[in-house]
Amino acid sequence: MANKPFIPTKEQREQVRLLAGLGTRQSDLCLLLKNPNTGKPIDLDTLKKHFSAEIEEGTLEATSKVAQTLFNIATNPDGGKGAVAACIFWMKTRAQWRETNRTEITGADGEQLSVFINIK
């Protein structure tokens, strides 16, 4: 007997959208979502096939809200430092914001670095 196809419910779609926006890993989403035909968690392929829009939209909506909050705090003279730090952390981890440093190593007085290898 063939397995019935998985059909997501409205509640499952809302749950995935919310949890994806909160940063829940896809592997954990799979564990939370049960296939009503088998009673077992869905696999990653099923999650991606049926919930890709909810994952993308939930993530984008959450990041957009935090970005708006950061902007509001940054442009408000009464904004708190702790809230700014939390927003910056979110943006670095969720929106791929990065601080970059560049280190150059030179020899004395900016000359070319000399490397000596002692071979015995």
Side-chain angles (χ1 to χ4, degrees):
M1 184 169 129
N3 289 335
K4 293 180 184 178
F6 175 76
I7 301 173
T9 65
K10 180 180 178 185
E11 292 78 20
Q12 287 173 323
R13 290 190 183 284
E14 291 171 359
Q15 182 181 30
V16 168
R17 186 181 190 123
L18 172 67
L19 293 175
L22 294 173
T24 304
R25 296 179 303 181
Q26 291 185 9
S27 59
D28 291 337
L29 291 174
C30 290
L31 294 173
L32 291 171
L33 298 169
K34 306 288 190 244
N35 184 331
N37 302 318
T38 64
K40 295 181 181 179
I42 65 172
D43 60 24
L44 198 53
D45 290 336
T46 302
L47 179 74
K48 290 178 181 180
K49 178 179 178 182
H50 294 285
F51 297 99
S52 61
E54 288 78 12
I55 292 169
E56 287 182 33
E57 291 166 3
T59 302
L60 179 61
E61 285 176 5
T63 301
S64 297
K65 286 179 184 179
V66 173
Q68 182 64 53
T69 300
L70 179 58
F71 176 80
N72 291 341
I73 292 170
T75 57
N76 179 352
D78 299 325
K81 289 183 181 180
V84 172
C87 290
I88 291 170
F89 171 79
W90 178 278
M91 296 306 291
K92 285 181 179 180
T93 58
R94 301 287 296 162
Q96 289 81 44
W97 283 16
R98 298 285 179 260
E99 294 180 29
T100 58
N101 293 317
R102 182 177 173 174
T103 304
E104 293 186 18
I105 301 174
T106 63
D109 299 320
E111 296 294 322
Q112 184 175 357
L113 186 64
S114 298
V115 178
F116 297 96
I117 300 174
N118 188 359
I119 301 175
K120 291 185 181 185

